[in-house]
Amino acid sequence: QVQLVESGGGLVQPGGSLILSCAVSGSGYYVVAWFLSAPGKEREVIGCIRISDGKTYYSPSHLGGRFTISRDKDKNTIYLQMTRLTPEDRAVYYCAADEGWEMGAYLPRFEYEYHYWGQGAQVTVSS
């Protein structure tokens, strides 16, 4: 059974930074993604990372932006570093994992491609 445990959410001031963590339990080879679910909007992908080699994908709206996905391979933990946060970044952030993506250049980027989900971490940006 694969479990994802998120941590690091909370309240941050505008302009601040925050790092979310997602610890993955399981012995497989995983790709882990970060999604955000903002009030009144559909859940969207930020990007993902393949734990084995660190290959990443970012959605066009987050490519080269304020969010960075990284991993600690030894700890099987994925991070989402968020900088220059604004009130519009207020959302529940989810990590999700799937396996079977070790070959090829494509990394999963849609909700239906992920079978394991974390509990979500609330991030609020307010002064």
Side-chain angles (χ1 to χ4, degrees), residues 67-84:
F67 293 2
T68 303
I69 298 173
S70 61
R71 100 291 193 204
D72 184 324
K73 187 176 178 181
D74 293 336
K75 295 181 179 179
N76 234 26
T77 298
I78 286 73
Y79 304 97
L80 176 65
Q81 181 176 5
M82 303 182 288
T83 61
R84 304 193 306 277

Side-chain angles (χ1 to χ4, degrees), residues 5-12 17-22 34 80 82 119-123:
V5 178
E6 300 182 42
S7 60
L11 175 65
V12 61
S17 300
L18 200 64
I19 299 177
L20 303 181
S21 301
C22 175
W34 286 99
L80 176 65
M82 303 182 288
Q119 79 277 16
Q122 176 70 53
V123 172

